[in-house]
Amino acid sequence: MKQLNLGIIGLGTVGSAVARILKENQSLIAARAGCQFNIIKGAVKDLSKSRAIFDFPITNDVNEILEDPQIDIVVELTGGVETPFEIAKKTLKNSKALVTANKAMLAYHRYTLQQIAGDLPIGFEASVAGGIPIIKALRDGLGANHILNIRGIINGTCNFILTKMKNADIEFQEVLKEAQELGYAESDPSFDIEGFDAAHKLLILASIAYGIDARPEDVLIEGITNITQEDIAFAKEFGYHLKLLGIAKKDKNSIELRVHPTFLPKDAMIGKVDGVMNAISVVGDFVGETLYYGAGAGGEATASAVISDIIEIARTKSSPMLGFKTTDNSLKLKPITDITSAYYLRILVLDKSGVLAQIATILGEVGISIDTFLQRKAQDKNHSTLLLSTHTCTEAEIQRAKDRISALEVVKAQPVMIRIER
């Protein structure tokens, strides 16, 4: 049986799990890959840091891995963007295969890496949704289909927070604190709760589904920090699930990409996914809807995806990194202002007659009609909160209406807007 030699850069939670699983399931993995795997060396930033005991040498010089002629596959499991990009480039230029879990690096540099790689394999299954094999599903399993849309719960931190807010009737900041105590959220959680983590993952999925080259700056991104129990109450009253979704949709020759809190109909399967779990719904023109569910983070789940890439490389399966052998693609990114949706507005107003009429007039003048309406008394007896949803309109129209509504004297806070998928 042939042998492939590995070098692992980054031996944190995921890297350590990769090494452990390769050892504990050695016979099973070799039987499935038709190949033995041997970790030649690992690289870390700080050699003095306490860590697990490994049966291979460890260095703090990544070049010892990148320039070692014995190493066939480099497994890159570090954080950041530009330093991992340099590691990835050097790996490929030294004719080594690359496996990475770095979604941020791929969000910016995936097309450059594909061009550098040529026929060298790059595995990145672990970059999106942890242990869920969504990359292979899109690239291979659904290869006969035009992908009509993707809707994904692809950040477990946000899904945990929204689930807890729904079930325990407590506000965002209190749930965030609990998520940090449980290890579901970082001490600085902004990358997760502001939607950037999900946007990076969505860009990777969109590249495979559509061959479209976009960056995080091109995507509509909104987080969950403004969600309150009033929004949860509206969802319960009108039969919605509230989730942070990454959404990609094909509309003729344009693709819309967006990440934001979303109201979903109560019968939407993806809306029933709670806690820290991830799920991705993919609709193909022939296969219809397929749903992928599982652990979206964690050392062992992510390591499982890393090792699946290593096995695929060992099988010498050759396929383009991002799913397309040609670069000729007529699909373009839809401008954010042209995106259409139904919308929900939460508006804090003075509790006096004629307020709803003023707001309805503005919406009507912009061309937006109200679908549902709910009024809740604010803690301050002089104010009320209006909760309303609209029929479908464009992003440009709802933003114009929102700006005009916020300028009314009777409106006492910036209106909060959430999109509705129907």
Side-chain angles (χ1 to χ4, degrees), residues 100 103 106-107 110-111 114 122-129 132-150 199-214 248 250 255 257 280 282-284 292 309 312 319-329 331:
T100 180
K103 55 189 173 289
L106 292 174
R110 59 199 183 281
Y111 281 95
Q114 178 172 251
I122 300 177
F124 55 105
E125 184 66 69
S127 65
V128 180
I132 304 173
I134 186 61
I135 301 295
K136 291 180 177 64
L138 276 174
R139 191 174 59 185
D140 301 328
L142 301 177
N145 291 258
H146 289 288
I147 303 303
L148 304 182
N149 68 66
I150 299 170
H200 290 169
K201 296 170 182 175
L202 181 67
L203 284 165
I204 295 168
L205 296 180
S207 293
I208 300 166
Y210 306 113
I212 192 162
D213 187 2
K250 183 176 184 292
I255 303 297
L257 299 178
I280 302 159
V282 182
V283 178
Y292 307 85
D309 283 332
E312 182 174 355
S319 62
M321 173 187 172
L322 297 173
F324 292 88
K325 283 191 177 292
T326 62
T327 57
D328 181 20
N329 196 324
L331 295 176

Side-chain angles (χ1 to χ4, degrees), residues 184-201:
Y184 296 149
E186 303 289 342
S187 55
D188 178 4
S190 56
F191 192 67
D192 291 312
I193 63 176
E194 297 292 352
F196 298 112
D197 172 77
H200 290 169
K201 296 170 182 175

